């Protein structure tokens, strides 16, 4: 009997034998979305509240408007996601269960202009418990020029990493290399907000909104929970 998802990192569609003897199929990748199997996250609990919190009141004020549309979309998709308050954030460890913690760091990936987001790794049964998003402080101190729409999309991108979405980039042109921005796009040219290094809508009106690809990724996280009986 196998209930854990140790095999998930190496499969796209995983067949699991449940305690009941039934077989459940977990899907970890689809068109324009990809789940964070490398860190053992394959689902989101449909009943657990997930709350975005911030390291400071100034960050809450700064980022809440960036996140409002995406949070509403995630909620509409079935994720019990909400904007919360301010709490101490230690980037070196996971916060309270269900919290997606947002903080700022100078070059969290040691690369100019890159932010970082990740889920708490290897949660029980692969059901996401939140995570952390470290936004590069360079965007706001004037030292790194970046389009406002990209900042907006990036904050949402990192938040979705913390919920369990990974980059959907793949070798579309079959040159043997998975490149930056090598992601499926809509007929209007919009790539998933989860595309690496960034994606999403590039207009002021729509920046920060999830594309259909990203919404499908969130729905897959919930579907994987349901198929495994994760409440
Ligand atoms: Ca390629
Ligand atoms: Zn990313």
């Amino acid at each position: 009997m196998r209930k854990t998802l140790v095999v998930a990192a190496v499969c796209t569609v995983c067949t699991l034998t449940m305690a009941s003897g039934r077989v459940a199929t977990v899907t970890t990748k689809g068109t324009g979305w990809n789940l964070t199997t490398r860190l053992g996250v394959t689902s989101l609990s449909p009943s657990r509240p997930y709350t975005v919190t911030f390291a400071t009141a100034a960050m809450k004020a700064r980022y809440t408007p960036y996140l409002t549309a995406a949070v509403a979309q995630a909620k509409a998709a079935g994720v019990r996601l909400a904007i919360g308050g301010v709490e101490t954030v230690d980037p070196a460890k996971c916060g309270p269960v269900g919290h997606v913690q947002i903080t700022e760091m100078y070059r969290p990936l040691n690369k100019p202009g890159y932010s970082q987001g990740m889920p708490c790794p290897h949660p029980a049964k692969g059901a996401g418990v939140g995570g952390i998003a470290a936004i590069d402080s360079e965007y706001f101190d004037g030292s790194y020029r970046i389009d406002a729409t990209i900042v907006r999309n990036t904050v949402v991108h990192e938040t979705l990493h913390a919920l369990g979405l990974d980059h959907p980039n793949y070798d579309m042109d079959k040159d043997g290399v998975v490149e930056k921005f090598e992601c499926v796009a809509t007929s209007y040219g919009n790539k998933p907000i989860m595309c690496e290094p960034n994606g999403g809508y590039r207009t002021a009106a729509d920046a920060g909104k999830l594309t259909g690809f990203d919404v499908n990724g969130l729905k897959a996280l919930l579907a994987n929970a349901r198929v495994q009986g994760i409440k």
Side-chain angles (χ1 to χ4, degrees):
M1 185 175 69
R2 188 178 65 207
K3 285 181 74 184
T4 53
L5 272 175
V6 280
V7 292
V10 291
C11 63
T12 299
V13 177
C14 309
T15 303
L16 303 167
T17 305
M18 307 300 288
S20 61
R22 285 186 303 116
V23 166
T25 302
V26 168
T27 307
T28 64
K29 201 179 260 205
T31 302
W33 58 270
N34 185 21
L35 307 186
T36 315
T37 52
R38 62 199 169 96
L39 293 175
V41 179
T42 49
S43 67
L44 279 175
S45 161
S47 64
R48 169 181 287 153
Y50 292 93
T51 310
V52 184
T53 65
F54 307 86
T56 67
M59 291 182 206
K60 177 175 160 77
R62 170 177 278 160
Y63 295 120
T64 296
Y66 293 6
L67 291 165
T68 305
V71 167
Q73 288 177 287
K75 232 174 124 176
V79 182
R80 294 190 58 196
L81 184 64
I83 305 275
V86 175
E87 67 180 349
T88 302
V89 175
D90 178 354
K93 62 178 198 192
C94 289
V97 168
H99 286 205
V100 171
Q101 300 183 309
I102 295 189
T103 189
E104 289 172 7
M105 290 174 72
Y106 177 74
R107 297 185 182 176
L109 288 173
N110 291 316
K111 280 195 282 189
Y114 275 75
S115 295
Q116 181 179 28
M118 63 178 287
C120 287
H122 306 292
K125 298 180 183 171
V129 293
I132 188 159
I135 308 302
D136 185 8
S137 58
E138 289 178 298
Y139 304 157
F140 307 103
D141 68 8
S143 65
Y144 186 86
R145 273 196 58 81
I146 182 168
D147 195 280
T149 59
I150 298 180
V151 172
R152 201 167 271 256
N153 286 328
T154 297
V155 171
V156 174
H157 174 118
E158 306 306 344
T159 301
L160 292 190
H161 270 319
L163 287 171
L165 293 188
D166 206 341
H167 302 135
N169 300 54
Y170 72 102
D171 190 14
M172 292 173 75
D173 61 7
K174 298 196 169 73
D175 68 349
V177 187
V178 178
E179 285 138 297
K180 287 179 177 172
F181 302 107
E182 198 172 10
C183 298
V184 65
T186 65
S187 53
Y188 294 95
N190 294 305
K191 295 178 182 181
I193 208 164
M194 292 313 293
C195 190
E196 193 279 331
N198 58 69
Y201 301 105
R202 296 296 293 275
T203 61
D206 288 332
K209 289 183 185 164
L210 308 181
T211 68
F213 304 119
D214 308 299
V215 172
N216 286 342
L218 291 176
K219 286 181 176 170
L221 285 163
L222 294 169
N224 285 343
R226 293 196 180 97
V227 84
Q228 296 176 87
I230 294 167
K231 295 284 190 280

